[in-house]
């Protein structure tokens, strides 16, 4: 089962099913996945494996399976979407959160898992076991430490003596040039949908909107969300995010209507 199919399922739950009673009948989900070129047999196998992995629970309605997100995956989706859809441009206080860790050789899998979690939280790697964030993250790292009881993990609040050193740290911790290029590609790929011109069909709107959310998620989880004081000149992250929000809204009516038609339920999103 490809990672792409897993990601599509979670994107559909994050964007749609969680606002439509939080559950999916296999038949309707299979129809939605066909808009992405996923055949029903693959959809069925994927959902069975995701249930086995603990991502979903199931119940029966007649001859059909109904899938509900597990509590743990509901939390993952909620936290992930908050990251994707939120940008805060706050004045920087000059302090870094620094994480130092050691993982015993017998727990080498934990080492890679910890690196992925730190990256997801926006930390950059300064040295082999030294990671940095320009945000206050002490409480979040304390919670992370509880997930890795075999690791020795220390979290510090630290600062340098001058802003030029801070900017040098950002260059060493993150590949900002590559991330900037990817943000510009995102803008080029999706700017044509900003005009408000309707797409040719509901499935196409669903496909484009879902792909855009997935692309922004991949960018967001690589982005340290640097304060203005540390951001490169003409940083494209904010323009890309603003475009994302506009296009996401412009495609909503067509994509939502198609989803509701397929699953037979209304979307009830909170008013923001």
């Amino acid at each position: 089962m490809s990672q792409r199919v897993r990601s599509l399922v979670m994107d559909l739950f994050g964007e749609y099913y969680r606002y439509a009673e939080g559950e999916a009948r296999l038949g309707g989900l299979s129809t939605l996945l066909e808009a992405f070129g996923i055949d029903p047999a693959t959809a069925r196998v994927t959902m069975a494996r995701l249930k086995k992995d603990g991502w979903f629970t199931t119940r029966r309605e007649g001859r059909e399976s109904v899938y509900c997100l597990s509590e743990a995956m509901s939390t993952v989706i909620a936290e992930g979407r908050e990251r994707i859809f939120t940008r805060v441009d706050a004045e920087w206080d000059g302090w870094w959160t620094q994480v130092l860790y050691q993982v015993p050789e017998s727990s080498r899998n934990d080492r890679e898992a910890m690196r992925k979690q730190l990256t997801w939280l926006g930390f950059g790697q300064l040295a082999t076991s030294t990671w940095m964030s320009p945000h206050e993250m002490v409480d979040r790292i304390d919670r992370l430490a509880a997930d890795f009881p075999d690791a020795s993990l220390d979290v510090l609040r630290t600062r340098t003596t001058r802003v030029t050193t801070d900017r040098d740290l950002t260059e060493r911790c993150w590949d900002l040039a590559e991330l900037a290029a990817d943000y510009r590609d995102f803008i080029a790929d999706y700017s044509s949908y900003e005009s408000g011109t309707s797409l040719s069909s509901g499935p196409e709107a669903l496909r484009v909107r879902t792909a855009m959310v997935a692309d922004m998620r991949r960018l967001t989880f690589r982005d340290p969300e640097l304060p203005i004081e540390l951001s490169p000149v003409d940083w494209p992250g904010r323009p890309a995010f603003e475009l994302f929000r506009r296009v996401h809204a412009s495609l909503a009516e067509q994509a939502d209507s198609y989803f509701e038609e397929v699953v037979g339920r209304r979307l009830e999103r909170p008013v923001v």
Side-chain angles (χ1 to χ4, degrees):
M1 176 179 53
S2 71
Q3 183 61 41
R4 173 176 176 263
V5 184
R6 284 177 176 252
S7 296
L8 281 172
V9 169
M10 302 314 292
D11 287 338
L12 289 173
F13 268 85
E15 185 69 31
Y16 300 99
Y17 278 109
R18 67 194 296 237
Y19 304 115
E21 301 179 15
E23 59 183 31
R25 290 166 177 80
L26 183 58
L29 179 60
S30 297
T31 299
L32 294 175
L33 287 172
E34 285 187 275
F36 302 89
I38 308 302
D39 63 80
T42 300
R44 184 170 57 254
V45 170
T46 297
M47 296 308 294
R49 291 182 180 175
L50 290 177
K51 177 190 175 183
K52 183 178 180 181
D53 291 343
W55 292 25
F56 290 93
T57 60
T58 61
R59 60 183 176 82
R60 300 288 295 184
E61 282 194 359
R63 300 178 62 182
E64 189 168 26
S65 296
V66 180
Y67 287 82
C68 305
L69 277 172
S70 67
E71 184 176 347
M73 292 310 300
S74 293
T75 300
V76 169
I77 284 180
E79 291 179 351
R81 289 185 64 78
E82 183 177 358
R83 283 279 306 280
I84 296 169
F85 284 87
T86 304
R87 291 288 190 279
V88 178
D89 294 324
E91 185 176 348
W92 191 43
D93 61 5
W95 287 88
W96 293 84
T97 300
Q98 183 178 25
V99 173
L100 311 172
Y101 69 83
Q102 291 182 324
V103 180
E105 191 62 25
S106 59
S107 302
R108 65 177 65 184
N109 289 339
D110 283 355
R111 184 183 299 117
E112 183 59 28
M114 184 177 291
R115 289 172 179 167
K116 289 181 178 179
Q117 285 294 311
L118 289 169
T119 301
W120 189 86
L121 290 172
F123 280 80
Q125 188 174 17
L126 179 63
T128 302
S129 299
T130 303
W131 293 67
M132 308 289 289
S133 169
H135 305 291
E136 199 291 301
M137 301 286 284
V138 174
D139 290 344
R140 187 63 184 84
I141 294 302
D142 285 345
R143 295 197 298 273
L144 177 65
D147 295 332
F148 298 95
D150 293 334
S152 172
L153 191 150
D154 298 302
V155 56
L156 311 173
R157 291 285 281 166
T158 185
R159 64 185 303 159
T160 69
T161 56
R162 56 183 65 88
V163 72
T164 53
T165 304
D166 293 319
R167 290 173 180 157
D168 177 65
L169 281 176
T170 66
E171 295 293 335
R172 294 161 61 189
C173 288
W174 295 278
D175 189 342
L176 298 177
E178 181 180 41
L179 182 58
D182 290 342
Y183 268 128
R184 293 188 181 100
D185 287 344
F186 179 93
I187 292 171
D189 289 342
Y190 292 104
S191 59
S192 63
Y193 298 104
E194 188 177 6
S195 64
T197 303
S198 296
L199 295 174
S200 62
S201 67
E204 185 181 3
L206 180 78
R207 186 167 57 251
V208 171
R209 197 169 188 245
T210 304
M212 185 181 65
V213 171
D215 287 345
M216 179 53 69
R217 181 184 64 246
R218 285 186 284 268
L219 291 168
T220 297
F221 291 171
R222 293 165 51 203
D223 191 340
E225 296 187 30
L226 296 172
I228 295 174
E229 295 87 342
L230 301 181
S231 297
V233 176
D234 297 327
W235 179 247
R238 169 57 70 172
F241 175 70
E242 292 173 349
L243 173 69
F244 165 72
R245 292 300 300 265
R246 292 193 299 270
V247 175
H248 185 265
S250 74
L251 299 179
E253 184 175 357
Q254 272 189 298
D256 287 359
S257 295
Y258 177 66
F259 174 87
E260 291 174 345
E261 176 188 336
V262 170
V263 305
R265 294 199 300 274
R266 295 280 297 174
L267 289 161
E268 301 290 344
R269 292 192 176 92
V271 178
V272 294

